[in-house]
Amino acid sequence: MRKTMNSFEDLENTWKNQNRLSPRKSAEDLINSAEAEIAGMKIKQRGTVLILSLTVAILLLYLVWMQAYRHAWFFTGLLIMIGMLAIRIVLEVVSYARFQRISPNKSTNAYCEEIIAYYHWRRSIHYIFTPIIYVSYVAAFVSLMPLFKANMSPGLYWYVLISGVIVFIGLALLIYHQIKKEMTILNSLKSSAQEHFYS
Amino acid sequence: MKELFAQLYEQEYDRVFRLCRGYFSGNRVLAEDATQEVFVKIWDNLASYREEAKLTTWIYRIAINVCLMQVRKASYRKELHVLQIPDVTMDGVVDEDEIRLSKMYSCIQQLEEVNRAIILMILEGVEYSEMAEVTGIKEETLRVKIHRIKQSLTKCVKQ
């Protein structure tokens, strides 16, 4: 036992004899970087909500301009698209608020529990809400294509069709990568929590 | 608040850096990045510090929690696979302390994540009661764990 403890004491001494490292940045520079990073994250989150809100606004304007409320199918299709986007906006805002409430100054156990709970919530969004929103939106869009064709110039119609396909494929890939990233984090955290609990 | 932060930054940077380095297998570059991120979080949360715990306890919690999430970033996982080579002196002799330190970091990396935090705090001379507050593990449980972790690390470094 004494031999072991002496060896551990050697490790402690080696650790304490490490060269002291001074920060490369001044405190002032770090504060400025921190403020920029925090602001950047808020802009990124608001940017997502802004893009979705802009799309909702465009669809609403189109609905009113085309007097879509006169045609049941047209109206229903656009309403589904607007509704799905609105649900997505709410989910994004709630997700952001939940994440912001997780404070890194809690004990490790408490922090891990909260982070795991957050990613469980994100999993329910990814596996339940996202497929419903995506499929409903695309289905509504596709169902309105004949009406778009009847009411748009050929050029505009083809633009809407081609850009729609590109956007839907791009979105699907983006969503897939985001889900994969978050589920990797969740599985890793759960595995670590499991190891810790049983060790 | 800026003055308090500047003071903390000067006083605690080195300790936080060593803790982060323990999470990134001794990689200095990743540890410096993580240390910067820790102090960003400290700055972001300093206004909410209500003296519910010692300031060092509060800082350790943030440091460990940040490192726990940083190691999960894909970019960090790729970098961690880079082999750490001990520093070589001008006459080509490898410093023994550096070899032992490199081995220590490698062995610490093999520990489960919360045990990693515990051993890093032990090496920094943190009191058991403070460690319990940082990790959220009861002190009695911690004492048992610490004995096992110390043995495990010593055995690993000797190999």
Side-chain angles (χ1 to χ4, degrees):
Chain A
M1 184 69 158
R2 196 173 163 199
K3 211 173 171 181
T4 307
M5 287 309 295
N6 280 341
S7 293
F8 188 77
E9 278 165 16
D10 289 337
L11 299 185
E12 280 180 303
N13 289 332
T14 303
W15 188 265
K16 282 174 184 138
N17 290 337
Q18 288 184 77
N19 293 329
R20 244 189 95 82
L21 186 78
S22 295
R24 286 180 201 264
K25 278 184 180 170
S26 68
E28 186 71 37
D29 284 346
L30 184 74
I31 289 171
N32 292 336
S33 306
E35 295 287 348
E37 189 180 312
I38 293 159
M41 276 176 62
K42 283 187 180 148
I43 288 169
K44 191 179 168 192
Q45 196 274 337
R46 281 173 193 165
T48 305
V49 171
L50 192 67
I51 290 168
L52 291 170
S53 302
L54 215 61
T55 312
V56 167
I58 291 167
L59 288 170
L60 276 168
L61 277 168
Y62 185 69
L63 188 150
V64 169
W65 181 54
M66 289 299 296
Q67 297 181 338
Y69 40 81
R70 288 173 184 259
H71 309 274
W73 189 249
F74 207 175
F75 186 60
T76 308
L78 281 175
L79 219 56
I80 289 171
M81 289 170 77
I82 290 165
M84 291 302 114
L85 286 173
I87 293 169
R88 187 74 219 180
I89 289 167
V90 168
L91 289 173
E92 285 296 312
V93 169
V94 170
S95 283
Y96 182 75
R98 277 187 79 140
F99 191 73
Q100 286 302 108
R101 278 203 300 269
I102 302 172
S103 178
N105 56 25
K106 293 194 171 142
S107 74
T108 307
N109 276 359
Y111 181 75
C112 284
E113 271 177 30
E114 288 193 14
I115 284 276
I116 288 171
Y118 169 77
Y119 280 110
H120 271 137
W121 150 256
R122 291 292 293 175
R123 187 171 65 178
S124 66
I125 293 177
H126 293 321
Y127 292 154
I128 300 168
F129 290 99
T130 301
I132 292 172
I133 290 168
Y134 184 86
V135 168
S136 302
Y137 189 90
V138 171
F141 179 84
V142 167
S143 71
L144 291 177
M145 290 311 290
L147 287 163
F148 289 154
K149 195 172 183 181
N151 292 290
M152 288 177 184
S153 65
L156 184 58
Y157 170 75
W158 281 107
Y159 170 76
V160 166
L161 178 62
I162 291 167
S163 62
V165 169
I166 292 169
V167 165
F168 290 143
I169 293 172
L171 257 178
L173 287 170
L174 195 69
I175 290 167
Y176 170 75
H177 282 293
Q178 186 65 19
I179 292 173
K180 194 175 165 192
K181 186 175 112 180
E182 289 187 13
M183 292 306 100
T184 303
I185 291 172
L186 175 61
N187 291 332
S188 161
L189 283 167
K190 279 166 77 172
S191 150
S192 174
Q194 185 96 344
E195 242 182 85
H196 167 57
F197 187 75
Y198 287 114
S199 71
Chain B
M1 202 159 78
K2 275 191 179 178
E3 293 82 27
L4 173 62
F5 179 80
Q7 199 184 330
L8 286 174
Y9 188 57
E10 284 303 316
Q11 279 174 358
E12 303 297 331
Y13 186 89
D14 186 49
R15 212 188 320 216
V16 170
F17 171 74
R18 283 198 297 269
L19 191 139
C20 291
R21 214 177 152 196
Y23 265 91
F24 294 102
S25 209
N27 187 307
R28 284 177 187 272
V29 173
L30 293 179
E32 278 188 38
D33 281 349
T35 307
Q36 294 284 300
E37 189 57 31
V38 168
F39 281 97
V40 166
K41 292 283 186 237
I42 289 172
W43 172 248
D44 195 23
N45 287 276
L46 198 52
S48 67
Y49 174 63
R50 296 279 177 267
E51 294 183 31
E52 63 277 359
K54 267 169 66 183
L55 203 44
T56 49
T57 305
W58 191 81
I59 289 169
Y60 270 122
R61 282 178 181 172
I62 293 176
I64 289 165
N65 291 337
V66 164
C67 288
L68 274 174
M69 294 310 294
Q70 295 284 72
V71 294
R72 284 168 170 82
K73 282 189 182 175
S75 51
Y76 279 81
R77 287 201 302 271
K78 280 182 202 159
E79 288 280 348
L80 271 174
H81 286 119
V82 172
L83 189 65
Q84 290 296 301
I85 299 162
D87 290 337
V88 178
T89 57
M90 287 290 286
D91 55 8
V93 174
V94 181
D95 189 74
E96 268 195 43
D97 266 356
E98 275 298 318
I99 295 172
R100 190 184 290 137
L101 198 59
S102 191
K103 202 90 214 275
M104 280 174 74
Y105 279 122
S106 171
C107 290
I108 288 168
Q109 189 66 25
Q110 291 170 39
L111 294 171
E112 182 271 316
E113 280 168 1
V114 177
N115 289 348
R116 223 180 281 174
I118 293 169
I119 195 68
L120 289 166
M121 285 191 282
I122 293 167
L123 291 166
E124 288 293 329
V126 176
E127 298 284 329
Y128 283 24
S129 55
E130 194 174 349
M131 267 191 256
E133 276 192 79
V134 169
T135 56
I137 301 169
K138 286 186 186 153
E139 211 175 308
E140 310 85 63
T141 313
L142 209 53
R143 286 178 189 275
V144 172
K145 274 180 150 327
I146 285 169
H147 177 70
R148 284 207 298 257
I149 296 166
K150 277 183 178 178
Q151 280 188 322
S152 172
L153 181 68
T154 312
K155 189 178 165 188
C156 177
V157 173
K158 270 185 186 171
Q159 282 169 358

